[in-house]
Amino acid sequence: MPTPKRDRYQNRIELLQGTLDLLILQTLQWGPQHGYAISQSIRGRSGDVLQVETGSLYPALHRLAKQGWVTSEWKQTESNQRAKYYRLSAAGRKQLLSEQARWKEMVSAIAGIMRPVREEGR
Amino acid sequence: MNFWNWLFRRHAREKDLDDEVQAHLRMAAQERIAAGESAEQARVSAVREFGNVDLVKETARDIWGFRWLEQLIQDVRYSLRQLGCNPGFTVVAMLTLALGIGATASIFSVIYALALRSLPVPQPDRLVEIGQNSRGNLHTYGEWKLFRDRQDIFLHVFSYNYFDTNFNITGAKERRAVSGLYVSGDYFQGLGVQAVLGRVLQASDDQPGVPPVCVLGYGLWRQLYGESRDILGRALLVNGHEFQIVGVAPRSFFGVDIGHMPEIFMPLEAERTYSDYPLLYGRQTPSLDDPHATILSFIGRLRPGVRVSQANAGLQVLSAQIYGALSGASDANGRAVVRGSLVALPITSDAWLQDMDMVLLLMAMAAVALIICCANLGNLLLARATKRQAEIATRLALGATRWRLIRQLLTESITVSLIGAAAGLLVERWASRSLIWALSWPDDTLSLDLSWDARLVVFALGITLSCALLFGLAPAIRATYVSIYSAMKNGVAAGRRSSRFSNSLLVVLQLSLSMALLVSAGLLVRTLHALLSQDPGYDPRGILVCHPSWQGPSETLPRAAFTGERLLREFRSVPGVTSASWSRVSSEMTGPRLTVSGPTGSEGQSGSYLIFVSSHFFRTRRTPILAGRDFSDGDSRTSFPVAILSEDLAKTLFHGVNPVGLSFRENDRNGKGQEYPVEIVGIAGDIQYRRPGDGALPILYRPVAQCADSGAGVGVYEVRVAGSFPQMTKRLEKAAENVDSHISIRFEPLTDTVSSVVHRNRAMALIATAFGLFVSLLAVIGVYGVTSSATAERTREIGIRLALGAQPADVLWMILGETAALVWTGIAIGVTASFAASRMIRGLIWGVAPTDPLSFGLAVCLMLLISGIAAFLPARRATKVDPMVALRYE
């Protein structure tokens, strides 16, 4: 009998290279967030399908900060804890728009590739 | 991201990252507590979910750049700790590398200074040396004047006296011998060199009749005057004559002759002022006024845009004019004026070409030493890699990549190399000094600019890093090639067998190369011995050679040649002197060609060297008179001209017939062209005037009293004494003072002269022996290492053998036998390599066969003996193994 944990593992999808940045930027679009909240938010909004490895999340956050797309500051959380909040910068907003455009392009491209395959299979 | 910013904010960011991770963990834990987990369990789960905290941090740190530098610093610090933990390894590695790198760098720096460094003057590539296609690179003074005045090919031309380079300088306190140059007025302008103090020589200084001036070299300025700036206008006594100091040359300036460091520069014309020296004192070289004395070197600076070939075309036209104008001049000796053409050649140093065989041998030795050093270190590192397998496996298991580990191990090698190279710098300074000593002749010291510049630094760093790669890469790769599982389990490595194999290969390489070096050293030592035991045709022991020189003002210079006779008489009357003689070597560049009518009427001809000697010359030297008689005091200026032939000359001319009583005709060297007969009164045994290995020279001896010509050189006195040298020099000095207080004498035991002739052979033998012993020592360390690691690895097996009743002697022989196979292989390859090596140094060995059995035998025995000892020690330790301990082990 498979355990629920194992189920979830199998349902998880490995993030495509480069999509994590897009997801983070997308999440930050609604306001500043700290790392833990970002990972929870991505997991929740994807219905537990996308789980962000902390091993990728923090390097990605620092990578974005170095690019100047997000800024960071230490603030109190609602539960009165100190946490580092990341905020989307103006440059980050621009980057998000271009990444979204690229993502749409890619989705339609992949969809275009997938359709003929299905037709052939029939 | 700025580097400094990174460096200073590194710690702040580190803390920030840490806080961030902690905050994440706390929030994750809180959420779990809210969901009902216990505090402890929540914390543990949060951490587990987070994953490898350090890895996350490390990856995040990577983002901020300079990660490589951080890792490098980490690696270097780790390496230094590792080195500190293994002081034995560190010291051996450092010393080995210091010697290897130091020796290689020193040889390179000498070759670099000799052949590759450019002259320290502006645009050295525009300078050409002007030679003569039929005669060589030197010219007469007459040719110089014509060339200087008529040429318009070059921007500047200048010349300097190639021969007259040794001077005695009398400063405020002391007298010293320095090397210097007589240069033409345009010398400094032509080279484009400015004075650092005062002015350089000018064309107006190089005129007949002007008061003599001089420019000091920087070194002499510092030594004599301590760089004092108020020396301009002061007088300096050079060979007893006053020269006014007008300037100081720059520190790096040495003229155009690499290997020579002139310390005083004087105008050519100043030399002519003193050309009326009496024969006995001072002058050793032909004067400027001799129309046949080719003593000047010409240098030209090309006009901008003019190529050497264009200059040569112009020179061809000019040469015809110059030699045409000269052929009209009277030629006293009836010699034909040299025809030919001047040719310009780019200035290159060919000094190193003359010493090519030596330099090559030195380079080969240094390379071999370096390779053996690297092999040895490679061996040590392989052994260490085996020991560190558990550590490396642990680090691999903890997530380090192989590349990261290799990089770290290489950093260790490079760190050791750099430390070794730093120590090698000290060795380099010392070794290049001894190299220069080895390459110099005792009377002609090589002085080279050995200061460091970019190219030398690049070379030194290059060999340091290649050493590190050479000895470090293979062990590093091998070390990381471990099975984590088996290594962690019991520390027994899978790769060990092959590691022992490469160990053995390296030891064989070391043994064979050191064999080749030892054999070469043996051959060189045997050569030296053969040279020294060669009978030179005289007995140098107990003979003091006296070189008198005149130190007074020119006005009181005694002009009479009879001073020479008086000096000889005074010397003979000194108590303790058994015999004394006086001789002068003719300054004729080519010896007289003797023509004799043979006994059968045919004519025999031979070139010969002319030496004027007093009576007792042969008696003092203990050279036998083979036929006829010695010169006597009766052979005077007025008596019939007589001569003694050397055995070699007599054989060449008379083919075994006794020539005593026959005569030949000699040309009067006073320029009147008269011929007169000279009677041969005796034959003397051959005297070795050159290196002991060279053949005898054909020499014509004439009585010094009958030497009337102006070309004769300085006199030399040879005194055979019974007392101790220091005591006798004092007495002889006093005797010279009786003749004239201005005479000063330099004394030299004749044995010194003889030994200075074999100086290079001695130097090479010494260096080769030192190298040979050094690399043999390394090879022995290699043998020791490979034997002890082989026995250590088989402790268990040996224990079982002993427990099953094997005798310790059996075990000993078993281990020794395995090492012996290695040693014999090394020696066999070494013998082959030695044959190749001895062929390479053929030019340096004399009087001993290149396959000299003694040299080969000794080298083999030495190798066997020391590697036997090196193998015996660990083998014996192995037999002391307690079976119980050995079996419990592992």
Side-chain angles (χ1 to χ4, degrees):
Chain A
M1 195 181 93
T3 62
K5 209 173 181 181
R6 202 181 156 86
D7 254 346
R8 205 173 63 196
Y9 178 77
Q10 280 175 333
N11 288 339
R12 236 176 66 200
I13 294 174
E14 290 290 319
L15 279 175
L16 275 173
Q17 186 94 39
T19 42
L20 180 59
D21 289 6
L22 172 64
L23 292 180
I24 294 173
L25 291 176
Q26 184 80 28
T27 311
L28 290 179
Q29 203 181 354
W30 316 111
Q33 267 313 346
H34 51 77
Y36 181 69
I38 294 171
S39 72
Q40 294 303 82
S41 157
I42 291 175
R43 190 202 289 190
R45 280 154 55 93
S46 68
D48 276 4
V49 173
L50 296 179
Q51 179 157 18
V52 183
E53 294 280 344
T54 44
S56 324
L57 175 71
Y58 283 99
L61 281 171
H62 284 255
R63 195 163 52 237
L64 293 173
K66 198 188 175 194
Q67 294 290 334
W69 293 332
V70 299
T71 55
S72 61
E73 59 179 331
W74 286 90
K75 278 203 296 202
Q76 297 291 320
T77 63
E78 292 131 35
S79 53
N80 222 10
Q81 295 223 358
R82 251 169 63 82
K84 196 173 177 184
Y85 277 77
Y86 291 88
R87 177 196 297 277
L88 203 58
S89 70
R93 217 165 278 283
K94 223 181 269 170
Q95 177 67 17
L96 175 61
L97 288 176
S98 81
E99 295 236 346
Q100 279 171 338
R102 251 188 35 188
W103 173 250
K104 277 177 196 142
E105 240 173 67
M106 198 168 84
V107 167
S108 64
I110 291 178
I113 296 169
M114 300 305 276
R115 222 182 355 256
V117 173
R118 259 212 326 259
E119 276 163 5
E120 228 169 272
R122 251 178 215 167
Chain B
M1 181 90 202
N2 174 299
F3 173 79
W4 295 111
N5 196 1
W6 165 81
L7 194 67
F8 292 121
R9 298 205 28 218
R10 202 154 56 106
H11 290 287
R13 186 161 316 105
E14 201 74 354
K15 169 109 182 22
D16 188 79
L17 190 59
D18 194 48
D19 287 349
E20 189 174 10
V21 171
Q22 291 310 323
H24 181 111
L25 290 176
R26 264 198 311 276
M27 285 186 279
Q30 254 169 11
E31 206 153 285
R32 283 169 185 275
I33 292 171
E37 288 186 33
S38 76
E40 180 58 16
Q41 203 185 350
R43 200 183 59 77
V44 171
S45 309
V47 171
R48 192 187 303 128
E49 197 184 43
F50 192 93
N52 190 334
V53 174
D54 284 320
L55 195 64
V56 171
K57 280 203 224 167
E58 203 150 286
T59 326
R61 266 203 298 268
D62 269 352
I63 308 289
W64 292 104
F66 299 107
R67 174 82 186 124
W68 60 272
L69 189 68
E70 212 168 329
Q71 279 187 353
L72 187 67
I73 293 172
Q74 211 178 32
D75 283 355
V76 169
R77 279 168 60 180
Y78 184 78
S79 309
L80 289 177
R81 268 207 307 280
Q82 278 284 328
L83 293 176
C85 290
N86 299 283
F89 169 80
T90 311
V91 168
V92 170
M94 247 186 60
L95 283 182
T96 312
L97 281 168
L99 286 170
I101 294 176
T104 318
S106 70
I107 288 176
F108 180 79
S109 72
V110 167
I111 293 173
Y112 178 65
L114 272 177
L116 304 172
R117 210 184 262 272
S118 50
L119 294 176
V121 298
Q123 293 187 290
D125 52 321
R126 302 299 293 164
L127 292 174
V128 289
E129 180 168 17
I130 295 148
Q132 217 268 9
N133 59 6
S134 67
R135 195 177 52 198
N137 61 340
L138 298 179
H139 313 268
T140 67
Y141 183 67
E143 288 162 7
W144 163 242
K145 280 194 293 192
L146 286 169
F147 176 61
R148 177 191 61 194
D149 297 340
R150 297 196 180 182
Q151 74 87 20
D152 55 357
I153 303 164
F154 300 98
L155 202 58
H156 295 282
V157 290
F158 52 94
S159 68
Y160 61 93
N161 189 323
Y162 188 78
F163 288 104
D164 227 349
T165 54
N166 294 313
F167 301 95
N168 277 309
I169 281 185
T170 319
K173 280 167 272 177
E174 72 217 292
R175 199 168 66 216
R176 63 164 77 208
V178 299
S179 88
L181 280 184
Y182 282 122
V183 300
S184 68
D186 265 352
Y187 182 80
F188 287 98
Q189 283 83 355
L191 285 171
V193 169
Q194 302 293 321
V196 290
L197 178 70
R199 63 172 177 90
V200 292
L201 296 177
Q202 301 160 350
S204 59
D205 297 321
D206 191 21
Q207 302 292 336
V210 301
V213 295
C214 67
V215 165
L216 297 185
Y218 198 95
L220 191 64
W221 179 41
R222 192 172 48 202
Q223 288 162 21
L224 277 187
Y225 300 104
E227 302 193 12
S228 147
R229 301 190 69 85
D230 63 343
I231 55 149
L232 297 179
R234 275 206 224 171
L236 184 66
L237 282 180
V238 182
N239 284 357
H241 304 290
E242 271 194 11
F243 280 75
Q244 198 188 21
I245 301 170
V246 293
V248 177
R251 186 193 291 264
S252 61
F253 181 72
F254 60 81
V256 293
D257 242 0
I258 289 171
H260 295 275
M261 181 63 91
E263 295 186 283
I264 183 165
F265 301 86
M266 296 159 290
L268 278 182
E269 286 292 337
E271 189 254 358
R272 270 153 52 77
T273 315
Y274 308 114
S275 61
D276 59 349
Y277 269 4
L279 307 176
L280 179 57
Y281 307 105
R283 302 192 42 73
Q284 297 190 32
T285 50
S287 93
L288 284 180
D289 286 330
D290 182 341
H292 301 287
T294 52
I295 51 175
L296 297 180
S297 223
F298 291 3
I299 308 286
R301 186 179 276 281
L302 294 170
R303 286 185 189 281
V306 173
R307 286 195 309 274
V308 176
S309 55
Q310 290 169 315
N312 272 328
L315 278 176
Q316 210 153 13
V317 180
L318 185 65
S319 315
Q321 291 178 24
I322 292 176
Y323 294 125
L326 279 174
S327 62
S330 68
D331 186 353
N333 290 10
R335 283 181 288 198
V337 170
V338 184
R339 304 252 163 225
S341 173
L342 296 172
V343 270
L345 288 169
I347 293 190
T348 46
S349 164
D350 52 0
W352 65 286
L353 281 179
Q354 297 163 12
D355 305 325
M356 202 55 199
D357 47 356
M358 257 181 96
V359 168
L360 267 182
L361 177 60
L362 288 171
M363 250 166 71
M365 287 196 298
V368 165
L370 199 61
I371 290 173
I372 293 182
C373 284
C374 288
N376 219 36
L377 286 178
N379 246 340
L380 281 174
L381 282 179
L382 276 178
R384 237 157 62 98
T386 317
K387 275 191 211 145
R388 284 172 68 174
Q389 229 144 26
E391 171 205 333
I392 283 163
T394 311
R395 296 174 58 188
L396 280 173
L398 285 177
T401 60
R402 257 189 88 195
W403 164 233
R404 178 81 186 78
L405 280 184
I406 290 175
R407 209 165 47 169
Q408 203 261 306
L409 289 172
L410 274 185
T411 309
E412 269 184 55
S413 312
I414 291 171
T415 311
V416 180
S417 281
L418 285 176
I419 298 174
L425 284 188
L426 300 178
V427 177
E428 191 271 339
R429 288 288 97 174
W430 174 81
S432 24
R433 269 208 298 279
S434 26
L435 270 182
I436 287 188
W437 164 78
L439 284 167
S440 302
W441 295 101
D443 53 350
D444 181 16
T445 313
L446 193 66
S447 62
L448 289 175
D449 179 12
L450 293 176
S451 57
W452 284 80
D453 68 3
R455 278 195 270 181
L456 269 183
V457 170
V458 166
F459 176 82
L461 272 181
I463 53 170
T464 306
L465 292 184
S466 17
C467 273
L469 283 184
L470 208 61
F471 71 75
L473 193 58
I477 291 175
R478 163 138 302 132
T480 57
Y481 197 74
V482 292
S483 146
I484 296 175
Y485 176 68
S486 71
M488 299 261 291
K489 202 176 90 193
N490 55 12
V492 177
R496 211 177 240 189
R497 279 277 152 195
S498 64
S499 120
R500 216 172 82 200
F501 177 69
S502 28
N503 259 337
S504 312
L505 253 179
L506 287 179
V507 167
V508 167
L509 174 79
Q510 286 180 325
L511 283 172
S512 49
L513 285 177
S514 7
M515 256 295 287
L517 259 185
L518 277 182
V519 169
S520 309
L523 288 173
L524 290 172
V525 170
R526 294 261 294 150
T527 299
L528 180 67
H529 186 247
L531 286 175
L532 287 179
S533 54
Q534 179 82 352
D535 177 19
Y538 60 94
D539 180 9
R541 285 164 301 173
I543 295 185
L544 259 180
V545 183
C546 319
H547 304 268
S549 60
W550 181 257
Q551 299 295 341
S554 53
E555 297 84 55
T556 64
L557 207 63
R559 288 167 182 261
F562 79 91
T563 312
E565 293 281 358
R566 273 186 60 197
L567 209 50
L568 183 61
R569 246 177 289 139
E570 287 289 340
F571 281 167
R572 282 183 178 159
S573 65
V574 170
V577 171
T578 20
S579 162
S581 74
W582 172 32
S583 66
R584 295 151 83 178
V585 178
S586 166
S587 70
E588 293 253 347
M589 287 294 164
T590 50
R593 274 190 90 74
L594 283 187
T595 310
V596 295
S597 318
T600 53
S602 65
E603 285 205 333
Q605 258 200 355
S606 168
S608 66
Y609 294 83
L610 180 58
I611 300 179
F612 294 102
V613 300
S614 70
S615 59
H616 296 184
F617 176 77
F618 298 107
R619 187 197 295 177
T620 309
R621 283 209 165 200
R622 293 192 178 144
T623 299
I625 298 290
L626 302 174
R629 66 168 175 93
D630 195 353
F631 293 135
S632 71
D633 292 332
D635 295 315
S636 70
R637 177 180 284 269
T638 49
S639 68
F640 194 80
V642 290
I644 292 177
L645 304 187
S646 77
E647 194 183 353
D648 182 74
L649 182 61
K651 261 189 207 146
T652 317
L653 285 175
F654 297 98
H655 311 288
V657 178
N658 184 357
V660 173
L662 299 174
S663 60
F664 60 91
R665 302 196 69 77
E666 192 181 60
N667 207 325
D668 182 350
R669 266 173 298 272
N670 277 343
K672 299 192 189 80
Q674 287 174 341
E675 283 199 347
Y676 47 84
V678 180
E679 189 190 343
I680 300 167
V681 294
I683 297 178
D686 281 328
I687 288 180
Q688 183 51 273
Y689 274 100
R690 295 187 287 173
R691 290 194 313 158
D694 299 337
L697 290 175
I699 295 168
L700 177 68
Y701 300 98
R702 299 265 285 116
V704 71
Q706 293 180 353
C707 126
D709 82 292
S710 60
V714 94
V716 169
Y717 293 82
E718 287 172 10
V719 183
R720 184 171 285 282
V721 297
S724 74
F725 281 173
Q727 185 196 0
M728 288 310 294
T729 52
K730 267 196 209 100
R731 287 190 199 167
L732 290 169
E733 262 168 358
K734 200 166 278 168
E737 223 161 90
N738 289 343
V739 179
D740 196 307
S741 58
H742 290 304
I743 296 173
S744 104
I745 303 183
R746 184 168 59 86
F747 293 95
E748 189 185 20
L750 190 53
T751 45
D752 279 10
T753 319
V754 173
S755 92
S756 79
V757 168
V758 294
H759 164 79
R760 273 214 177 156
N761 299 84
R762 182 182 299 116
M764 285 310 286
L766 255 174
I767 293 177
T769 310
F771 261 110
L773 292 179
F774 166 57
V775 297
S776 312
L777 183 72
L778 291 183
V780 164
I781 295 176
V783 170
Y784 178 86
V786 85
T787 314
S788 54
S789 72
T791 51
E793 178 181 316
R794 291 165 65 182
T795 311
R796 188 188 163 100
E797 175 202 328
I798 292 167
I800 294 174
R801 280 174 191 268
L802 288 175
L804 290 179
Q807 292 302 303
D810 300 336
V811 172
L812 186 75
W813 283 114
M814 179 187 77
I815 292 166
L816 280 185
E818 280 172 23
T819 309
L822 219 63
V823 171
W824 276 113
T825 318
I827 287 177
I829 299 174
V831 168
T832 325
S834 304
F835 281 121
S838 68
R839 192 159 316 130
M840 207 181 89
I841 60 165
R842 217 172 17 207
L844 290 169
I845 48 186
W846 181 87
V848 43
T851 55
D852 179 44
L854 190 64
S855 304
F856 276 79
L858 272 180
V860 170
C861 288
L862 189 64
M863 271 343 285
L864 275 181
L865 180 74
I866 51 183
S867 39
I869 295 173
F872 181 75
L873 294 176
R876 213 170 81 97
R877 207 167 44 221
T879 63
K880 298 268 165 70
V881 163
D882 179 353
M884 284 315 288
V885 175
L887 291 175
R888 230 182 278 131
Y889 181 75
E890 289 184 352

